[in-house]
Amino acid sequence: MKQKRAVVSVIGKDQVGIIAKVTAVLADNHINVLDISQTILQDFFTMMMLVDVSEQEHLDVLHRQFDQVSQELGLKINIQLEEIFQAMHRV
Amino acid sequence: MNIAFAEIQETIRMVQMESLDIRTVTMGINLRNCADSDFEKMNQKVFDKITSYASKLRETAEKAEKEFGIPIINKRISITPVAEILGDATVAQAVELAKTLDRAAKELGIDFIGGYSALVHKGVSKSEQTLLDALPEALAVTERVCSSISVATTRTGINMDAVRQLGEIIKNAAERTKDQNGIACAKLVVFCNPVEDNPFMAGAFHGAGEGEAVINVGVSGPGVVLNALKRHPDADLGKVADIIKKTAFKITRAGELIGRVVAERLDVPFGIMDLSLAPTNAMNDSVAEILEEIGLERVGTHGTIAALALMNDAVKKGGAMASSYVGGLSGAFIPVSEDNGMIRGIVDDALTLPKLEAMTCVCSVGLDMIALTGDVSAATLSAMIADEAAIGMINKKTTAVRVIPVPGKKQGEMVEFGGLLGRAPVMGVNPYSSEKLIQRGGRIPAPLQALIN
């Protein structure tokens, strides 16, 4: 089966435990992280992760759990299938 | 990872800050096989076919929207022009069928169903006349049924007898819904050169050349274009066109991807992508504001047509590069009531009806969602339709008229239509009569442009 990949992006004020909390959600849902990169620019934390969601029938559950973390830490977390970025930014 | 963070950020910003959305995923459904000499049977078949074909439309679209993180605002249905299946039905039965369509739309949870239509650009058949006679009541007693009537094409000329009837139909429909500011007229479009695969309402119908069922997608994003231009305040016009083109490209690609996914999951062929800059009353989601950003103090002033022509063309070019199947109307819509910038232009006396008419020569549709004084005569409405049809016919483009003569309202008053339809300042019309022109009737012959074989 073709691998289904999604991009998780996280933006917000830098603080302790961001990566831990976000990856905990992924681990709880048995989602493998394929790639990860993060930068901190003037206290502003940005991270993106490429994850394998081949096993996920719906992204609803993830959306809900990420929303919870978002509120807890005051971050913006998005998860979107990778194809949308390929379509918009690659010819 | 071969997608840069900046690119991911750009997509997210477009959606969350700049109102990028898929405006509509529209399923076209062919109803020809529902025709039956027994009206009750046909009525039931129509309901059953629509509700079974589209049963998963909403759910599938909503799932895709969550997965890709791009909102799909409307899920809609277009059907075979109803006049083509009416046969010997009576006017009352035609109204009954409109109610059935309304019921199907409600059951499916979709906001509009388009195709209560007739193509009468050359002549009016018996069943088409039935539909025209039923139209004012059908529009007044339903909420979600949209109608479009084709009264002219470049190849056939203008059917002025139909144009005369439409003026009366619009007046009648407005009068029947006078408690709601004549809202029935907001669901009726009069076309010249209609397209068969347009996903946008109120003008969507499933044309004769279409298959059994199809998914057409309409993408929008005036806010994205506006913000892209704001980042280049000093660019020359060549660069402005380029920025619009590139933005349109990205928007179209997003729409095409999602359209194809939805089509595949519904097991229905993907038809076309319609990239139209369709404004909403949301902050900064305005076509007029793009024109003002290009360099007009207010939309409607001198230079408006030039700016609109540049924008409309650049949108098409970006869209054409991005999708193999660009169709529908693809360009810029200029509905007044749905665009805060247009409303401001009229309130500030910068934008007038004649200027709006002129703008329709270079944008993708026509006079759209314009509120007129309640005392406008049917003949004047017909003449307005004839003018638009002439522009479309000669310039080989789609033009349309969707105007609302608001009963009891005078020039300068503001009327609310509610929801997506917005609000509009009432505009006055030319006080001189066009009665004689309309009374003559007959057909305006097809122009020389039609003789291309």
Side-chain angles (χ1 to χ4, degrees), chain A residues 4 7 9-11 35-37 46-50 57-60 63 76 78-91, chain B residues 1-12 14-16 20 63 66-70 249-251 253-255 257-258 261 265 321:
Chain A
K4 196 163 90 177
V7 174
S9 57
V10 184
I11 316 167
D35 196 354
I36 180 165
S37 74
T46 55
M47 173 172 74
M48 65 170 182
M49 286 186 286
L50 192 64
E57 177 62 20
H58 289 278
L59 296 182
D60 283 18
H63 272 295
K76 256 192 144 24
N78 285 289
I79 177 163
Q80 290 159 275
L81 290 182
E82 187 202 12
E83 287 111 301
I84 191 75
F85 303 106
Q86 297 283 3
M88 286 179 79
H89 302 286
R90 293 291 176 270
V91 179
Chain B
M1 205 177 307
N2 55 6
I3 298 286
F5 199 80
E7 293 171 326
I8 290 177
Q9 286 301 96
E10 185 184 15
T11 299
I12 293 172
M14 282 180 176
V15 172
Q16 295 184 350
L20 166 64
K63 186 168 175 229
K66 285 213 180 78
E67 286 178 0
F68 293 100
I70 299 203
F249 177 86
K250 288 177 185 171
I251 301 173
R253 293 273 287 190
L257 171 69
I258 293 178
V261 167
R265 289 179 186 173
M321 256 299 275

Side-chain angles (χ1 to χ4, degrees), chain B residues 152-165:
Chain B
T153 68
T154 300
R155 296 305 287 264
T156 61
I158 306 175
N159 182 349
M160 289 297 286
D161 293 325
V163 168
R164 180 181 51 75
Q165 285 199 48

